[in-house]
Amino acid sequence: MSTAEVTRSTTTVGIVGGGPAGLMLSHLLHRNGIDSVVIDNRTRETIEHTNRAGILEAGSVRLLTETGVSDRIFTDGYRHEGIELRFGGAGHRIDFEHLVGESVWLYPQTDVFIDLADARARDGGNVHFGVSDSSVAGVTSDAPTMSFVDAEGQHHEVTCDYLVGADGSHSICRAEIPREVGVHHFREYPFAWFGIMTEAAMSAPELIYSHSDHGFALISQRTPTLQRMYFQCDPNTDPTAWSDDQVWHELDRRTEVPGFVLAKGPITEKVVLRFRSFVCQPMRYGHLFLAGDAAHTVPPTGAKGLNLALMDVKVLAEVLDRAVNGGQTSALEEYSPRVLERVWKAQHFSYWMTSMLHTLPGEFATFDTARQVGELNMVVQSTNGRRFLAEAYTGWPEKR
């Protein structure tokens, strides 16, 4: 391809990754009068049909609604004022509203993406889905570049003032940070989640986190007629080897309490989700910034992944506004320390919930199971214990 065939352009912020984090950042920058270009190698249709978690913290709901993305959360989502911890044959409700005056919303990540993509299209955002051959360069220079071939086959080279990697756990942007500069903190877990989607009524109005001698289970919801459920399994489990009857038997015995009936229906999806914790520190290198899964991942037990990504870009949009519109380039130095404080809180909370609720392997397994029941009793029998869980689950206020 000759150089004459390359379309060259400039923008203030180049964003690799057109999921919720990248689109929210582009939206917030637009509101501050800052230009951006977003690219993603997935098509919009592919992202829209990828099922992901759907619990939004109170702060995430405010961010989406108060910045004019959409108020569809309030019409199509479900407000959850608590969760149930189930163990020892009984359920214990953690009342978020009573404990901390906040709630969470059940609203699928797919819908968050649709709302953000619609908002960027409405506002004339420069977003390219379905690109190929994407690459970045010059992240330590004053003019990093973002190259790609768009869905129509046109080769682009975009010169930016700042570059943002919001391109997920296999980030090409993160690879630009030398290992002697960026420290990778990593933990893998000895279990996974066997997840199903089922055409059934809701079994409960809020999420049920169930600890049992047979392993962990989570009863979640999606819509009045479509539900998401999970149970702990070996990471090497083949979901196609399980019959529907085997799945329902496992969920029944892990959620059993007097009077509870698990609503069942045709199972439309079976997947196994591996667990890992990861943090790249720092989250800035030169003119490159990382956000969302490109910088960190957490186990799904605490429902933190999407919420962390949205809070990352909220802070990033603020410091970029101060740097670009206010001339305060020193503000950029705040980004990594500010967001990492929240990231490590979320890592701790997700690890705590995971280790408290899942059956742990090893020679001390029976001890650990009994100890977990003691820990769960400490939480539910203490106002401070319940409040700690409620505050972490609904989201911490951002420190300034």
Side-chain angles (χ1 to χ4, degrees), residues 67-114:
T67 64
V69 174
S70 174
D71 60 3
R72 199 160 60 96
I73 296 170
F74 301 134
T75 57
D76 296 358
Y78 298 87
R79 184 181 184 183
H80 286 188
E81 297 181 359
I83 59 171
E84 180 182 323
L85 292 182
R86 183 172 292 187
F87 62 96
H92 308 265
R93 185 168 183 266
I94 308 298
D95 189 332
F96 299 158
E97 280 288 339
H98 173 73
L99 291 163
V100 295
E102 293 282 16
S103 60
V104 296
W105 285 78
L106 177 73
Y107 190 69
Q109 182 168 323
T110 296
D111 289 289
V112 174
F113 167 78
I114 291 170

Side-chain angles (χ1 to χ4, degrees), residues 83 209 301-302 349-358 389 393:
I83 59 171
Y209 287 78
T301 323
F349 176 66
S350 300
Y351 174 84
W352 176 66
M353 288 280 285
T354 300
S355 61
M356 179 171 63
L357 291 163
H358 290 73
L389 194 158
Y393 201 98

Side-chain angles (χ1 to χ4, degrees), residues 47-64:
I47 304 175
E48 286 185 7
H49 291 92
T50 301
N51 288 314
R52 299 289 297 275
I55 294 293
L56 293 179
E57 295 175 357
S60 296
V61 172
R62 286 190 286 268
L63 180 64
L64 287 160

Side-chain angles (χ1 to χ4, degrees), residues 15-18 37-47 126-136 146-158 167 172:
I15 302 171
V16 184
V37 175
V38 183
I39 64 170
D40 199 295
N41 60 6
R42 300 165 294 177
T43 65
R44 173 168 174 166
E45 291 72 24
T46 296
I47 304 175
N126 193 344
V127 181
H128 298 265
F129 292 109
V131 309
S132 58
D133 298 330
S134 54
S135 63
V136 297
M146 184 170 67
S147 301
F148 62 96
V149 177
D150 68 22
E152 286 72 43
Q154 178 60 46
H155 188 182
H156 294 259
E157 185 176 283
V158 182
D167 49 340
I172 64 170

Side-chain angles (χ1 to χ4, degrees), residues 355-372:
S355 61
M356 179 171 63
L357 291 163
H358 290 73
T359 298
L360 304 176
E363 61 177 310
F364 302 112
T366 56
F367 173 88
D368 285 332
T369 299
R371 179 195 57 75
Q372 288 170 330

